[in-house]
Amino acid sequence: MPFIALPPDPASPDGEVVAGDGWYPDIDVNAMRDALRIGELVTDARLIEAIKGGQLTIEGELEDWRAAREVEGAADLSAVDPARMTGGTHRLTLLYTRAVRFAAAAELSELHRDLTATETGQARADTAATTAPDYHRLATSAVRDILGTGRVAVELI
């Protein structure tokens, strides 16, 4: 009998999303797993909570910007500059999704540690700790792109 290897089931059910508030879009859980190579060690429940945290963080940073867009008549994010696309996707929707994903990944990276005491396990934990600032930086860059502000702040002394 030949050996047939099947890929593991995803740690999150197919089609699972964390709902947006109606103005911001939903976040696809498995699309985030794929985009950021989040393994199955992160449970579905932990990933969902991290995504919710990412939504709260990013939406808080964009609160004034959103209020201004609503005053301009935008019914949702996709109604803001709707013709501006990147790779066939609404640019601001793409940036919002990236910002939430990176904010969620930063939270996971800061909080999710390998519990083993082996040298290999510690090395993985050290690697995760060094990537959290990178995720924060990427989330901040996506927010600044939405706001239309620069990515670098420089102050002369």
Side-chain angles (χ1 to χ4, degrees):
M1 176 182 284
F3 176 75
I4 299 173
L6 298 174
D9 290 333
S12 299
D14 286 338
E16 183 167 30
V17 298
V18 177
D21 65 359
W23 201 86
Y24 287 111
D26 299 345
I27 302 296
D28 183 302
V29 177
N30 281 312
M32 179 173 169
R33 278 189 190 280
D34 292 343
L36 300 181
R37 296 180 294 157
I38 295 173
E40 293 182 13
L41 288 177
V42 177
T43 65
D44 183 53
R46 287 187 86 168
L47 182 55
I48 287 172
E49 288 306 309
I51 292 170
K52 288 177 183 177
Q55 288 171 316
L56 291 171
T57 297
I58 301 307
E59 291 170 19
E61 290 183 30
L62 295 173
E63 188 173 357
D64 292 339
W65 178 86
R66 174 184 172 171
R69 303 301 75 81
E70 289 178 321
V71 166
E72 293 169 356
D76 60 27
L77 181 62
S78 65
V80 179
D81 204 6
R84 195 152 181 212
M85 307 291 275
T86 300
T89 302
H90 178 246
R91 181 180 176 275
L92 293 176
T93 299
L94 181 62
L95 287 168
Y96 169 79
T97 300
R98 287 174 56 84
V100 170
R101 285 177 180 173
F102 290 138
E107 179 179 312
L108 288 170
S109 193
E110 289 170 343
L111 299 177
H112 190 271
R113 295 283 189 259
D114 191 327
L115 299 178
T116 66
T118 67
E119 188 175 317
T120 303
Q122 185 59 43
R124 282 195 304 267
D126 291 343
T127 299
T130 59
T131 62
D134 295 328
Y135 287 128
H136 282 297
R137 178 182 50 78
L138 292 165
T140 298
S141 293
V143 167
R144 288 183 179 163
D145 288 346
I146 291 169
L147 296 173
T149 60
R151 290 185 177 190
V152 178
V154 177
E155 183 177 327
L156 296 176
I157 299 175

